[in-house]
Amino acid sequence: MEEKDATGHPKVMSFNALMELGRKKYAEDPSLFEKLSKEVTADDLATLVYTSGTTGLPKGAMISHGNVWWIVQSLDAVQPPFANDQDVLVAFLPLSHVFQRIPGHFYAMHRGITVSYAQSIDTLLADFEEKRPTMILAVPRVCEKVYQKIITQVKEQSPFKQKVFHWGQEVGNQISQLREQHKPIPGLLKLKYKIVYAIIFKKLQDKLGGRLKWMTAAGAPTAPEIIRFFNAAGITVIQGYGMTETTAPASIQSLADFRIGTTGKPMPGQDIKIAEDGEILIKGGNVMKGYWKLPNETKEVFTPDGYLMSGDIGKFDEEGNLLITDRKKDLLITSGGKNIAPQRIEGIFKSDPLFTQFIVIGEKKKYLTGLCNIDLEMATIIADEEKIPYQKPIDLLENDRFLAIVKKHVDERNTHLAKYETIKDYRIIKTDFSQEGGEMTATLKLKRKVIYEKHQNLIDEMYEKEAVDELYGKKAV
């Protein structure tokens, strides 16, 4: 912050003023830092990291020095090692988020990783090409956007090139599945993959700097086809599970042992168990001290025997990998008593490049509905193919012919779902959900409550027929 910007703010200090204060303290007592550092204990507060606020007001998680060191040591214990001092990371997640603060900053310092910070989300690809990272800490939305961009570009190619791409994608899926299962790759498939890598997957590698070994897709479910696409390009996608209150990871996949659809095994030294209602309970040296100045909220989030109640629903598979079903608060219970995990459904819709965002609604309702954003670049490609006239891309969202195509896409996505999970009605939101609009967190998660409140009129409209049914005991005409 510039000096002039801090003027008049009693609780704000400029960086120059902070440095000057440090110089004065050092002049007064050059040994002060050593004295103070020796007084610090593992249980002392190291930092406050605020929760994302997806389900309510953000709360300050009190992270101790011991919490940070526990994570660093636990990550070090995972084999093979994630990184060494030859690795390069291009960081773009905010340091206010625990995922960037702990693994991306403290662990990176511990391992000697070179960290470059991206100029902005908009310059990511240029930054990747310039700095050539070997690892990237990303969230699912970033993976989805890269994948959707590629699929959109493919749609603009000739039918022959599209056919080649889809053939290559299938070869890549087979390679990815065999690697995941630690099975040998047949000779003919190896030859096909060599061709496919040269004409398709190398381009993705080059766009990301050309030497990327692995990246994360942490914080929310990611569609398996997207993960396999990256894996086929030689980029291992690592999934994990954690939260602000656990100082980031609680479970994680390793580079040698990953199962798509899971979040890996508990971190070394981590104690995770599943409650009777399916909630994930966590205990270990990474669990926060509590919420800053919120003793009641702190008490409510721990069990009597000291386990952190995560608020997430999950289970272990037969190999000990943790699977996350959904947020406990996000689970939808329909009027028919069906428990539905909306994030899985939303992931299925977002794997179609026409939809940039999709949010499922249906709590205490007879059926599910949705609100979505449309990718206007993809929309124009479809419109041009179908010879649908338009002046501006946004005009397509009012065009009956184009809306009929959107309906076909919704119907196609519904074929991947159980009958009770299908989307019966939906509304297109013309303005994309964003951080600026208050609908998304800094790590690009949807704030459901905000979205529901903003678009309550559209939600009510989708359930008007249901209300009439209940009133008259018959279907509305």
Side-chain angles (χ1 to χ4, degrees):
M1 175 176 282
E2 296 293 334
E3 206 75 42
K4 60 183 175 63
D5 295 326
T7 304
H9 296 277
K11 294 186 177 181
V12 176
M13 179 183 289
S14 72
F15 185 70
N16 288 338
L18 176 66
M19 293 297 290
E20 182 58 31
L21 181 61
R23 281 189 284 268
K24 286 180 180 178
K25 289 289 183 183
Y26 181 77
E28 292 169 6
D29 184 357
S31 64
L32 181 60
F33 178 81
E34 284 74 17
K35 290 176 184 175
L36 293 175
S37 64
K38 288 177 182 177
E39 294 174 5
V40 174
T41 70
D43 197 48
D44 284 337
L45 180 65
T47 185
L48 289 174
V49 183
Y50 279 79
T51 59
S52 61
T54 52
T55 58
L57 289 174
K59 297 181 285 289
M62 295 188 287
I63 306 298
S64 71
H65 291 275
N67 291 150
V68 176
W69 184 233
W70 190 97
I71 286 291
V72 169
Q73 289 182 302
S74 191
L75 285 170
D76 260 356
V78 178
Q79 295 297 321
F82 285 114
N84 57 46
D85 60 7
Q86 300 301 305
D87 281 300
V88 175
L89 168 69
V90 172
F92 56 91
L93 298 174
L95 279 165
S96 59
H97 191 272
V98 73
F99 188 44
Q100 185 60 53
R101 180 95 62 94
I102 308 302
H105 181 62
F106 290 123
Y107 178 71
M109 284 198 297
H110 170 70
R111 297 297 297 183
I113 299 165
T114 300
V115 181
S116 299
Y117 285 86
Q119 296 178 62
S120 72
I121 287 287
D122 297 330
T123 64
L124 270 184
L125 288 180
D127 294 329
F128 290 152
E129 289 189 64
E130 179 186 349
K131 298 299 181 183
R132 305 184 65 228
T134 58
M135 51 192 282
I136 295 173
L137 300 184
V139 291
R141 187 66 196 124
V142 173
C143 300
E144 289 164 0
K145 288 181 79 170
V146 172
Y147 179 76
Q148 288 177 339
K149 183 73 174 176
I150 291 168
I151 298 300
T152 299
Q153 290 172 345
V154 169
K155 288 281 288 182
E156 294 177 304
Q157 302 299 316
S158 67
F160 173 74
K161 287 186 176 181
Q162 288 186 44
K163 190 173 182 180
V164 170
F165 176 85
H166 292 305
W167 168 74
Q169 194 174 18
E170 179 54 38
V171 171
N173 281 340
Q174 292 177 46
I175 292 288
S176 180
Q177 287 173 341
L178 289 171
R179 285 175 176 168
E180 180 187 355
Q181 297 162 7
H182 303 291
K183 291 182 178 180
I185 299 170
L188 181 58
L189 186 59
K190 274 186 183 178
L191 179 61
K192 289 180 181 178
Y193 177 65
K194 191 173 181 179
I195 297 168
V196 166
Y197 184 85
I199 62 177
I200 296 175
F201 294 116
K202 188 176 183 300
K203 293 177 183 177
L204 173 60
Q205 262 285 10
D206 291 343
K207 280 291 181 185
L208 297 175
R211 56 179 187 172
L212 186 62
K213 295 182 292 186
W214 62 268
M215 66 188 298
T216 62
T222 307
E225 61 263 36
I226 295 176
I227 294 175
R228 290 196 176 101
F229 186 80
F230 280 91
N231 286 355
I235 302 165
T236 302
V237 177
I238 296 295
Q239 294 182 284
Y241 166 72
M243 51 200 300
T244 307
E245 291 87 342
T246 61
T247 321
S251 68
I252 196 167
Q253 297 173 343
S254 79
L255 293 170
D257 181 21
F258 56 91
R259 290 290 181 271
I260 294 173
T262 80
T263 64
K265 296 177 174 63
M267 294 277 288
Q270 190 80 81
D271 181 3
I272 299 179
K273 66 180 183 179
I274 308 299
E276 288 185 7
D277 65 354
E279 184 172 7
I280 299 166
L281 306 178
I282 305 168
K283 186 186 282 189
N286 55 332
V287 175
M288 66 168 186
K289 293 164 62 69
Y291 294 122
W292 178 252
K293 294 184 178 180
L294 294 172
N296 292 334
E297 285 82 351
T298 297
K299 186 177 179 181
E300 289 171 1
V301 82
F302 285 96
T303 64
D305 55 348
Y307 282 86
L308 175 73
M309 295 185 284
S310 69
D312 292 307
I313 301 297
K315 62 181 180 179
F316 286 104
D317 69 9
E318 64 280 358
E319 296 178 358
N321 296 299
L322 183 64
L323 291 84
I324 312 301
T325 306
D326 217 309
R327 287 288 297 168
K328 191 173 181 179
K329 289 182 179 178
D330 289 346
L331 279 177
L332 302 175
I333 303 176
T334 66
S335 59
K338 289 284 187 182
N339 285 0
I340 294 173
Q343 287 189 7
R344 189 183 75 84
I345 300 171
E346 290 157 0
I348 286 171
F349 273 84
K350 286 190 291 183
S351 63
D352 181 331
L354 183 60
F355 302 105
T356 57
Q357 289 292 354
F358 204 99
I359 186 165
V360 175
I361 300 144
E363 177 67 19
K364 297 179 182 177
K365 302 294 185 182
K366 287 184 178 179
Y367 53 86
L368 301 185
T369 61
L371 300 173
C372 63
N373 294 152
I374 297 294
D375 186 317
L376 292 179
E377 185 179 354
M378 190 66 179
T380 57
I381 293 170
I382 292 172
D384 292 342
E385 283 180 352
E386 300 295 326
K387 295 182 171 52
I388 300 173
Y390 60 92
Q391 289 187 333
K392 295 179 293 184
I394 195 75
D395 296 340
L396 291 168
L397 303 186
E398 299 285 347
N399 185 291
D400 288 341
R401 285 179 61 197
F402 178 76
L403 293 178
I405 292 172
V406 175
K407 175 67 165 58
K408 287 181 181 178
H409 279 251
V410 172
D411 291 343
E412 189 280 328
R413 292 288 86 187
N414 276 336
T415 63
H416 301 273
L417 299 165
K419 188 175 180 181
Y420 64 87
E421 295 176 311
T422 56
I423 300 300
K424 302 298 192 295
D425 202 355
Y426 60 92
R427 294 292 182 271
I428 297 170
I429 308 300
K430 292 182 181 179
T431 304
D432 285 353
F433 301 142
S434 66
Q435 288 177 255
E436 295 74 19
E439 302 101 342
M440 300 185 80
T441 68
T443 53
L444 309 181
K445 290 181 183 177
L446 294 176
K447 293 185 176 181
R448 295 178 186 276
K449 186 177 178 182
V450 172
I451 294 170
Y452 292 163
E453 288 175 354
K454 272 193 172 186
H455 303 289
Q456 189 61 55
N457 60 325
L458 295 178
I459 295 171
D460 292 343
E461 185 181 287
M462 290 188 285
Y463 289 104
E464 280 178 358
K465 183 171 75 67
E466 182 185 46
V468 171
D469 290 350
E470 290 176 357
L471 182 63
Y472 294 104
K474 61 181 181 179
K475 282 194 173 184
V477 178

